[in-house]
Amino acid sequence: MKAMTAQNLRSAFGGESQAHMRYRIWGAKADEDGFPMVARLFRATSDAEEIHATLHFKALKNEKGDFQVTSGAGFGLGTTSENLQGAIDGELFEVNEMYPAYIAVAELQEEKSALSAMRFAIEAEKVHAELFTKAKEAVDNGKDLETEKIFLCPVCGFISITGKEDNCPICNTKKETFIEY
Amino acid sequence: MKAMTAQNLRSAFGGESQAHMRYRIWGAKADEDGFPMVARLFRATSDAEEIHATLHFKALKNEKGDFQVTSGAGFGLGTTSENLQGAIDGELFEVNEMYPAYIAVAELQEEKSALSAMRFAIEAEKVHAELFTKAKEAVDNGKDLETEKIFLCPVCGFISITGKEDNCPICNTKKETFIEY
Ligand SMILES: [Fe+2]
Ligand SMILES: [Fe+2]
Ligand SMILES: [Fe+2]
Ligand SMILES: [Fe+2]
Ligand SMILES: [Fe+2]
Ligand SMILES: [Fe+2]
């Protein structure tokens, strides 16, 4: 694999791994704050970031060794409203800056396995940003996120709070395989 | 919190989050390769790294915002023997270089919450390195790790394959709270 794409994939792996961890911690806080559906959304999205991290790690499977990895990451443990704003900011950075830049380089370098991992991720992050925005609106009105179940596509990290899709709109995986929260 | 200790904690959070993710992936590979107890050791240790990442994140709870985080991380998906060598190298880097350096700075800066998180981590990593070494010896002889159960201390990330301890030798947590794998 070309060096620049490999470096970008390592950065994305580091960012996804830290988002996975942060959402677990913010999910526990949402439960404490009395927002159990927001907590479930954090946990489902945490698992989506694990899917992205795993896709990136596997695309790098032959790039063995120890590296210094630099990634963008959010910190702080505030109210659930503040944590949701942090989540929205992180997702939008990935959607608007990080993945478009990394995808442009991977296209230039014709790195197909990297491209397919990154394209699943960017499409899923758009949905994550929307759902966190909806969750923050609810919490800022003193309410929990209005839904009964949350669904995660185990292939690309797409999330649905309606379950109305037939197949995954990003990767076309059958709805029967979706994980429920 | 002093800036250098905060930066070191963010790096350690990034490293622990990536180790957590890597061990989940290497654990699935150990199952595929026919080493179910090595797979369980990877999963227990993955959860231990989540405990460390969470301790570091909580020590940073008031240091809010977005940062560029640089962390050491291993990559590559090889045979289980190769993956175990990668795990040993990562644990020993943390034991011999990373945590001693970060602890020296936190002592100088009298940052107590950082110190207590880092001291739990370094002591647990010593045990992780020993157990991965034992697992690699077994795998290199064509055998699985010899144990029936693996125990994880949910407070500090200590791991036991004997379950013979009364309380956690690192943090003194009662054995009844240990998580079994
Ligand atoms: Fe992601
Ligand atoms: Fe996301
Ligand atoms: Fe999908
Ligand atoms: Fe650790
Ligand atoms: Fe460790
Ligand atoms: Fe302990």
Side-chain angles (χ1 to χ4, degrees), chain A residues 66-78:
Chain A
D66 295 315
F67 297 87
Q68 291 292 310
V69 176
T70 300
S71 311
F75 287 84
L77 185 51

Side-chain angles (χ1 to χ4, degrees), chain B residues 59-78:
Chain B
L60 286 163
K61 68 177 186 287
N62 297 320
E63 306 290 314
K64 293 176 184 176
D66 295 315
F67 296 87
Q68 291 291 311
V69 176
T70 301
S71 311
F75 287 84
L77 185 51

Side-chain angles (χ1 to χ4, degrees), chain A residues 160-173:
Chain A
S160 169
I161 61 170
T162 65
K164 281 183 179 156
E165 300 78 12
D166 282 333
N167 292 327
C168 178
I170 297 174
C171 75
N172 211 32
T173 293

Side-chain angles (χ1 to χ4, degrees), chain A residues 18 22 25-26 71-78 82-83 86, chain B residues 6-15 17 53 56-71:
Chain A
Q18 291 175 70
R22 194 163 52 241
I25 298 165
W26 286 347
S71 311
F75 287 84
L77 185 51
E82 288 171 335
N83 299 338
Chain B
Q7 182 177 300
N8 290 342
L9 269 179
R10 286 192 295 270
S11 289
F13 170 78
S17 297
H56 298 345
F57 195 87
K58 289 187 172 173
L60 286 163
K61 68 177 186 287
N62 297 320
E63 306 290 314
K64 293 176 184 176
D66 295 315
F67 296 87
Q68 291 291 311
V69 176
T70 301
S71 311

Side-chain angles (χ1 to χ4, degrees), chain A residues 23 45 49 91 94 125 128:
Chain A
Y23 292 166
T45 315
E49 311 312 0
E91 298 287 347
E94 291 185 355
E125 314 307 7
H128 300 174

Side-chain angles (χ1 to χ4, degrees), chain A residues 85 123 176:
Chain A
Q85 188 60 55
E123 294 306 320
E176 296 84 71

